[in-house]
Amino acid sequence: MKHSRQFLMSGVLGLTGCLALSLSACTVPEANAAEAKPAPKKAPAAKVVPASATTPEASAKVRTPFAAAREAFERNAVNANPFADNNGSIPPASQYSGPLFSLSHDYPTTPVAPPANPPWIAALKGQPISKTNALAYVYALKNYIAPSMQTLLYNYPQWDAAKEGWYNEPWLASIRESIHGTYVGSEFPASTFAASGLKVDMTTYVLTYYDKVAAYALGQVWGKTAMTPTLTNTSAQFPEGSIVIKVALTSALAKDWPVMQGASLWPVYVPPPNGPAGAKPQVMNASIMQFDIIVKDTKTAPKTGWVFSTLVYDMRVPGTPWDKMIPLGAMWGDDPDVNSTLNPGMPLQETVINPAAPAYSTATLGWGGRLSGPNDGAVVAPASINGQIVPAVQASSCMSCHSVAEWPMKTFLLPTTTMPPTTVGDALVLEQPGSQAWMKWFQDNPGNVPLDPGTVPMDFDMVFAFKSLPAWQQATQGNSGMKAFEAVDQLRGKPTVNPRDLKYNGQ
C-alpha cells in the first residue's frame, strides 16, 4: 500500500542524501512511519527540476568519489524502525503529487516454488550457456518479469509491490528518498563517459527488489521484526529460481548526455547532485539507464549458482521504452582461469557481452571485459598500484564484487591491498592486476562458501552484507563494525577511509 505525504513521518529531516556507501556513519533522528490513506492514483506532477543542472557554486567545486560520502557521513543516522519507508523528507505538493514508496516486507514464511520449467533455462535448448545462447537466456528472463516490471518502471501510480510479489530489504530508510525509495549508487565525473558526450558529473540512484522465491531468504534472516537476524551458514542462502532486480537511474538527462535521448524519467526527491554541499532536496527527474536481473540457477551455473545479467538503455532501438532496454551481457562465473592482465587476448568463457550494446555501456566493463554496467563502478579512477598512480584500472566485475558478500566483511569489494582500503590522495590502493593476491576476487565459488574463513556466507547478496546488516548493527549496537577499520588505518598512519565511503553501488 502506498502512502500519501501527509502524516507519513515524524522528525522530518531538513537535509537528506545519506549515501548507501556510508550507512554506518549516518545520523538521523528516529522517525516512525504512520499509515495514511492511499495516494491519489494520478501521474506525478510535471513540475520538476533537471537533476543534471549545475549551479554557479558547484561549477568550481572539486568532487571526488569520496566527497559525497564524506558530506553524507555526518548527516543521518540509521532509522531505528527497520521497516520505515524513507528518510523522512517528503516532497511538498507543489513539487510532486504522485504516490510514494512503501517498503514491501511481508516476507513468505514457507518456500515458494519457482516455475516448473523456467523459460530462461528453456531458452538454452538443452545446451550449456555460452556465447551462442546467453543473450536468449537474458531475453527470456526479461520477458518473464516484464508484466510487473513495466508497471514499476512506466506506470508507477498502479504499482503495488506487495500485490505483485516483490519485496525489499529492511533498515535502509535513512538512505531512501521518498518517491521511489531509491538511494545513491555512485558519482561519476563527466570524463568517465566523455566519449559518449556526457557534459556534467552524474550521480546514480538505485532500487532493489526480490521476487517471492528470493524473499523467503529475506524472511529467514530477518524474521517478522528484523531486530534479531538469524546469521548462520544457511540462513541467507537463496532458493533455486530466486530473482533479484535492480533499477539504476542517472541524474544526467538527454541535454547533458545525448545517449539518454528519449529515456524514461523517474522523479526523485534528492539534493541537487551538482549543487552546493548541504543543499535541500528537490524533486528532480532522473533517466532510467540500467536494469539488472540476477537469478539463482545452479543448473546453468553449477560453479557459482548464479547468472548475472544487465540491461541498458539504447535510444537506437525502436519500440516501447521497455524494448529499448537491451542486454549489455551476462556472466555466470569470473573466469578464474583467464588472467586478463598476463594474457589480454585470451577470450572469456563465463561472460558474454552483446556486440550490439551501445558504446557508452561498454566504457565501464570490468577486468578483461567481464560484465559490469555503467552504474557499477568496476573501473577505479584513479588507482595506485605499486606506488604508481594510474588514471584508470578495470578492477572488478559484477560477480567479483558480489563474491565478497559475507558477514562480517573481512575483504573489500574491490582488490585493495588492505581492509580497510587505503588511498593516496584520491587514488585507491589496489593489488597488482593479475597477481595471485588480485585473483582472490576472481574465483568461482558457490554462494554458500564465504570468501574469508570464519564469516557467514551471504550468497552473493551485497544488500545483506554491505547495507542492511551494517545498518541493523549501527541501530541496535551503536557500531556498524566499520569504526574499527578507521582505527586500524590511523595506526598505520594511512589516510582514514571508511570502506562504506568508497564508490560502489552493487546489489
Side-chain angles (χ1 to χ4, degrees):
M1 180 177 180
K2 290 196 176 69
H3 300 292
S4 63
R5 66 182 45 75
Q6 289 87 3
F7 315 115
L8 202 107
M9 299 287 261
S10 61
V12 175
L13 304 177
L15 294 176
T16 61
C18 178
L19 295 184
L21 310 181
S22 53
L23 241 179
S24 63
C26 294
T27 61
V28 162
E30 177 178 355
N32 295 318
E35 188 75 5
K37 64 181 181 179
K41 297 290 185 180
K42 58 182 179 180
K47 183 179 180 181
V48 294
V49 178
S52 56
T54 58
T55 65
E57 295 87 346
S59 61
K61 183 178 180 181
V62 176
R63 305 280 295 178
T64 72
F66 311 99
R70 287 297 180 192
E71 291 171 9
F73 194 88
E74 299 175 353
R75 287 186 190 165
N76 303 344
V78 176
N79 194 317
N81 174 7
F83 300 126
D85 295 318
N86 56 59
N87 58 21
S89 187
I90 311 301
S94 60
Q95 292 188 35
Y96 177 80
S97 59
L100 301 176
F101 174 78
S102 179
L103 191 79
S104 177
H105 58 86
D106 189 14
Y107 311 125
T109 56
T110 57
V112 177
N117 183 29
W120 49 93
I121 295 181
L124 300 177
K125 300 185 183 304
Q127 300 298 312
I129 191 169
S130 67
K131 294 183 183 298
T132 61
N133 57 20
L135 296 186
Y137 182 102
V138 177
Y139 273 116
L141 267 175
K142 179 188 175 185
N143 292 336
Y144 176 77
I145 63 175
S148 58
M149 289 300 101
Q150 289 184 90
T151 302
L152 168 64
L153 294 175
Y154 313 119
N155 190 15
Y156 191 51
Q158 299 301 317
W159 172 249
D160 187 326
K163 183 178 178 180
E164 297 284 352
W166 292 91
Y167 302 83
N168 313 104
E169 282 265 19
W171 288 112
L172 303 184
S174 298
I175 61 173
R176 291 191 189 276
E177 56 85 28
S178 56
I179 297 178
H180 282 93
T182 67
Y183 42 85
V184 170
S186 283
E187 289 190 333
F188 294 92
S191 58
T192 306
F193 298 98
S196 54
L198 182 62
K199 301 174 185 176
V200 297
D201 296 348
M202 77 179 193
T203 298
T204 65
Y205 307 94
V206 298
L207 173 64
T208 301
Y209 277 104
Y210 300 77
D211 78 344
K212 286 182 180 179
V213 181
Y216 175 72
L218 301 188
Q220 291 301 289
V221 171
W222 293 113
K224 287 297 183 182
T225 67
M227 298 303 293
T228 54
T230 300
L231 299 171
T232 69
N233 286 344
T234 59
S235 60
Q237 298 302 300
F238 288 89
E240 188 75 6
S242 294
I243 294 177
V244 185
I245 67 96
K246 182 175 67 176
V247 185
L249 314 160
T250 171
S251 61
L253 305 184
K255 70 182 184 63
D256 289 317
W257 199 13
V259 296
M260 289 296 114
Q261 185 67 45
S264 296
L265 304 177
W266 269 12
V268 291
Y269 192 51
V270 295
N274 290 322
K280 293 183 178 181
Q282 300 177 30
V283 177
M284 298 180 175
N285 275 334
S287 306
I288 298 176
M289 172 184 66
Q290 181 174 324
F291 190 91
D292 296 329
I293 313 171
I294 70 170
V295 58
K296 185 71 172 286
D297 181 358
T298 58
K299 180 178 180 180
T300 301
K303 294 179 181 178
T304 63
W306 289 89
V307 177
F308 281 60
S309 67
T310 295
L311 309 178
V312 291
Y313 176 72
D314 189 347
M315 69 177 184
R316 305 168 300 175
V317 174
T320 67
W322 184 243
D323 294 331
K324 293 176 185 292
M325 299 301 294
I326 71 166
L328 168 61
M331 74 182 306
W332 51 97
D334 248 323
D335 277 293
D337 296 327
V338 179
N339 191 313
S340 297
T341 299
L342 301 181
N343 302 293
M346 191 172 180
L348 300 173
Q349 302 300 317
E350 297 175 330
T351 283
V352 170
I353 301 300
N354 182 3
Y360 83 88
S361 67
T362 62
T364 50
L365 291 176
W367 183 49
R370 288 163 175 80
L371 182 65
S372 179
N375 171 65
D376 295 334
V379 177
V380 175
S384 174
I385 299 174
N386 292 331
Q388 300 296 314
I389 302 299
V390 181
V393 176
Q394 292 176 312
S396 190
S397 73
C398 294
M399 297 199 83
S400 173
C401 275
H402 284 249
S403 70
V404 189
E406 60 189 18
W407 182 256
M409 284 179 62
K410 293 185 177 180
T411 297
F412 189 55
L413 309 112
L414 301 172
T416 55
T417 57
T418 61
M419 179 59 168
T422 51
T423 61
V424 177
D426 291 327
L428 186 64
V429 181
L430 298 179
E431 297 284 3
Q432 173 67 44
S435 66
Q436 183 177 356
W438 176 275
M439 295 304 295
K440 175 181 179 179
W441 280 262
F442 296 91
Q443 302 179 40
D444 276 355
N445 292 329
N448 61 359
V449 176
L451 197 62
D452 295 292
T455 65
V456 177
M458 293 284 115
D459 202 8
F460 286 88
D461 189 81
M462 287 311 305
V463 180
F464 271 143
F466 201 58
K467 295 185 178 71
S468 58
L469 281 170
W472 156 78
Q473 191 177 57
Q474 176 69 25
T476 59
Q477 303 172 28
N479 182 1
S480 71
M482 299 297 179
K483 293 179 180 177
F485 297 151
E486 293 191 352
V488 173
D489 265 356
Q490 290 169 348
L491 288 174
R492 291 193 189 106
K494 302 282 187 178
T496 299
V497 181
N498 187 306
R500 299 180 62 81
D501 287 0
L502 295 176
K503 181 177 70 175
Y504 173 74
N505 44 55
Q507 208 79 309

